Amino acid sequence: MVYLFDFDGTLVDSMPNFARVMTGILDANGIAYGRDIIKIITPLGNEGIADYYIGLGVKRTKQELLEQMDREAVEAYTYTIPAKNNVISVLKQLKERGDSLNVLTASPHPLLDPCLKRLGIFEWFDHVWACEDFGTNKADPEIYRMAAARMGVKTEEVLFLDDNYNADKTAKTAGMRVCGVYDASSAEYEEEIKRISDYYIHDFSELPAI
């Protein structure tokens, strides 16, 4: 089995911190936003989010926004953000049975890599990709096709796992099989995710049986 995992909200419990930082920027700039703001911005990556925020009317330069996002995130990812329930034990089980484990995330490498290394699982992955490695984001169907090509498999041979509705929908459009993942941050979209996914798990302990 070839797995392609999202990182935030799928492998690690980082979404509360992400949501706090990202909505805090909008609050500080007096920008109103809807309840779906996190669903919208999660697949975009920090550069995409910065562009989106400037489009909403945030009076900061793109570089200022990126520096703030990085500054507030780096300490949390490096030192405190935990793996989600049963992730480490299940990844170990999948690796031992010979499955291919891969990561594709909107989070940049300076956050992604130290967190996976601290958790002791970085070396288990055949590929650890941030969107920046492809020059696009997870809202673009082409990123999933490019990832499959780099893994040397057909797109339909990959099982993509993500807690985000938009990412799951786009991966499905690109031709991947999709497993939605429950996360508290996207709980209100659970039924939407289930409708467009091939599988859905509430806990990683359910994954080996798929």
Side-chain angles (χ1 to χ4, degrees), residues 3 21 47 58 78 92 109 132 145 148 158 173 175 184 198-199 203:
Y3 293 96
V21 171
E47 293 210 7
V58 172
T78 302
K92 184 174 186 290
H109 283 290
E132 61 202 36
R145 301 186 184 106
V158 180
T173 300
D198 300 284
Y199 311 96
D203 186 277

Side-chain angles (χ1 to χ4, degrees), residues 35-57:
R35 69 180 184 91
D36 60 348
I37 185 65
I38 299 302
K39 182 175 77 168
I40 291 171
I41 67 174
T42 297
L44 302 181
N46 283 0
E47 293 210 7
I49 293 170
D51 290 335
Y52 184 76
Y53 277 13
I54 290 169
L56 290 179

Side-chain angles (χ1 to χ4, degrees), residues 1 34 39 46 48 80 120 136 153 167 185 197-198 206 208:
M1 178 80 77
K39 182 175 77 168
N46 283 0
T80 62
T136 186
V153 298
S185 67
S197 299
D198 300 284
E206 303 166 54

Side-chain angles (χ1 to χ4, degrees), residues 91-120:
L91 289 179
K92 184 174 186 290
Q93 178 183 346
L94 298 179
K95 187 67 175 177
E96 289 176 344
R97 77 180 190 185
D99 293 328
S100 175
L101 310 181
N102 306 274
V103 173
L104 175 62
T105 176
S107 288
H109 283 290
L111 304 181
L112 168 66
D113 296 358
C115 187
L116 291 177
K117 289 175 182 178
R118 172 174 53 82
L119 295 172

Side-chain angles (χ1 to χ4, degrees), residues 31-160:
I31 304 296
Y33 50 89
R35 69 180 184 91
D36 60 348
I37 185 65
I38 299 302
K39 182 175 77 168
I40 291 171
I41 67 174
T42 297
L44 302 181
N46 283 0
E47 293 210 7
I49 293 170
D51 290 335
Y52 184 76
Y53 277 13
I54 290 169
L56 290 179
V58 172
K59 302 301 183 184
R60 305 279 298 283
T61 67
K62 183 173 181 177
Q63 187 60 35
E64 287 173 339
L65 287 172
L66 291 173
E67 288 175 358
Q68 180 178 353
M69 292 173 190
D70 288 345
R71 185 173 61 250
E72 296 200 37
V74 72
E75 184 171 348
Y77 280 91
T78 302
Y79 298 109
T80 62
I81 287 174
K84 290 183 71 175
N85 191 45
N86 289 316
V87 162
I88 293 177
S89 61
V90 169
L91 289 179
K92 184 174 186 290
Q93 178 183 346
L94 298 179
K95 187 67 175 177
E96 289 176 344
R97 77 180 190 185
D99 293 328
S100 175
L101 310 181
N102 306 274
V103 173
L104 175 62
T105 176
S107 288
H109 283 290
L111 304 181
L112 168 66
D113 296 358
C115 187
L116 291 177
K117 289 175 182 178
R118 172 174 53 82
L119 295 172
I121 59 177
F122 182 87
E123 298 298 331
W124 295 353
F125 295 102
D126 297 325
H127 303 92
V128 175
W129 288 311
C131 289
E132 61 202 36
D133 298 321
F134 295 90
T136 186
N137 59 57
K138 289 165 70 178
D140 178 4
E142 192 59 29
I143 197 171
Y144 305 96
R145 301 186 184 106
M146 289 191 289
R150 291 191 191 184
M151 289 186 285
V153 298
K154 297 178 180 179
T155 310
E156 59 268 25
E157 295 179 276
V158 180
L159 182 62
F160 175 73

